[in-house]
């Protein structure tokens, strides 16, 4: 009899834990920018796409569901024009001239990166540069579940030598020092390819100062990786 009830308890625990594991993670992408954006969405682990990159007007949002174990990234594409067949280009974040991204967005882009599982990992990364402000807000869930974001306008603070201009001669994005100068100390490559040999640089500190919660260079893990379990996520482009 004791064995029987023990079995029931174990069975009950199994249902609860597997119930958490099989529930999808919901992402809400919200455009608070004063212009239309085309979200870029890329699934990282060979899984099926979870979204299409349809335009989001100011104030609009879209909800996407990711299966357990999903990993991937979101970014904003700006200044896009596409023809009826879905071909065209974007001033920032372009993913190969197509509306439905199947590849990465051309840097510089601010990235929201996720790996979802029993415990989700998420971060905002400026390692590939910056184009728009971006915030990740867990909804529900348990654990640390902190807000992650880069809510400063880095285009205004962008050093001249890193600036990407739009056709109207406004700063559209801010390159990483790695992309601008292709040097090992900026790219954490070659002799600087380990956490011990790649340090913040005079450029990455500009990014870190503006956005303390975001990755400013490849090994900036300490202050830039966030975790939460069982949450859904609100990703806001241009949070105020
Ligand atoms: C960063 O350091 C490099 C090399 O010393 C220098 O050429 C560059 O002007 C510096 N940039 C900034 C923004 O401080």
């Amino acid at each position: 009899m004791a064995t029987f009830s023990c079995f029931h308890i174990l069975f009950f625990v199994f249902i609860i834990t597997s119930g958490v594991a099989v529930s999808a993670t919901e992402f809400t992408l919200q455009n608070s920018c004063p212009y239309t954006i085309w979200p870029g969405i890329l699934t990282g682990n060979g899984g099926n796409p979870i979204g299409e990159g349809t335009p989001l007007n100011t104030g609009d949002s879209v909800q996407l569901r990711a299966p357990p174990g999903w990993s991937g990234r979101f970014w904003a594409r700006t200044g896009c024009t596409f023809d009826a067949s879905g071909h065209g280009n974007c001033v920032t974040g372009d993913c190969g001239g197509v509306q439905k991204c199947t590849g990465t967005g051309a840097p510089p882009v601010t990235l929201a990166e996720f790996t979802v599982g029993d415990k989700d990992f998420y971060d905002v990364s400026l390692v590939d540069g910056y184009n728009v402000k971006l915030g990740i807000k867990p909804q529900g869930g348990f654990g640390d579940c902190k807000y992650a974001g880069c809510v400063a306008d880095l285009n205004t603070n962008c050093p001249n030598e890193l600036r990407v201009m739009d056709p109207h001669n406004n700063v559209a994005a801010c390159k990483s020092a790695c992309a601008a100068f292709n040097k090992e100390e900026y790219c954490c490559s070659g002799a600087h390819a380990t956490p011990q040999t790649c340090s913040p640089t005079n450029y990455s500190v500009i990014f870190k100062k503006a956005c303390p919660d975001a990755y400013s260079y490849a090994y900036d893990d300490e202050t830039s990786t966030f975790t939460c379990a069982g949450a859904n996520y609100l990703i806001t482009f241009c949070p105020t």
Side-chain angles (χ1 to χ4, degrees):
M1 190 63 191
T3 318
F4 185 66
S5 48
C6 184
F7 171 80
H8 267 83
I9 289 164
L10 280 176
F11 189 65
F12 186 59
V13 168
F14 173 74
I15 301 253
I16 290 178
T17 41
S18 60
V20 170
V22 297
S23 71
T25 302
E26 192 171 273
F27 293 104
T28 302
L29 309 188
Q30 160 92 39
N31 181 17
S32 295
C33 301
Y35 45 79
T36 301
I37 62 153
W38 286 255
I41 307 152
L42 186 66
T43 298
N45 47 1
N48 293 320
I50 61 165
E52 301 234 303
T54 39
L56 279 184
N57 294 323
T58 303
D60 284 358
S61 61
V62 64
Q63 290 185 334
L64 307 167
R65 291 175 83 78
W70 185 83
S71 75
R73 48 169 62 178
F74 303 91
W75 68 97
R77 292 178 288 166
T78 63
C80 303
T81 46
F82 294 108
D83 63 20
S85 71
H87 291 86
N89 59 67
C90 304
V91 172
T92 70
D94 192 66
C95 59
V98 290
Q99 187 170 340
K100 299 178 186 178
C101 294
T102 54
T104 52
V109 277
T110 318
L111 292 172
E113 303 180 304
F114 286 87
T115 301
V116 300
D118 289 339
K119 189 188 199 181
D120 306 333
F121 291 83
Y122 57 99
D123 65 76
V124 172
S125 173
L126 307 176
V127 174
D128 286 341
Y130 170 98
N131 64 339
V132 300
K133 304 179 206 176
L134 199 162
I136 301 173
K137 189 178 184 188
Q139 302 184 304
F142 44 93
D144 279 350
C145 304
K146 292 200 185 80
Y147 179 85
C150 178
V151 296
D153 183 359
L154 257 164
N155 289 334
T156 332
N157 299 334
C158 186
N160 278 326
E161 58 274 32
L162 302 183
R163 290 182 172 188
V164 174
M165 311 307 284
D166 72 11
H168 308 291
N169 217 30
N170 297 312
V171 184
C174 190
K175 286 186 220 173
S176 67
C178 171
F181 309 116
N182 193 27
K183 284 191 173 166
E184 293 180 352
E185 66 257 46
Y186 295 134
C187 298
C188 295
S189 60
H192 298 269
T194 69
Q196 289 73 37
T197 56
C198 192
S199 308
T201 67
N202 59 343
Y203 287 102
S204 77
V205 295
I206 297 172
F207 286 48
K208 197 67 184 175
K209 201 171 163 207
C211 293
D213 299 333
Y215 268 87
S216 61
Y217 71 104
Y219 294 112
D220 195 7
D221 304 274
E222 202 95 324
T223 52
S224 319
T225 297
F226 296 83
T227 59
C228 187
N232 293 318
Y233 295 91
L234 174 63
I235 300 169
T236 307
F237 298 102
C238 307
T240 46

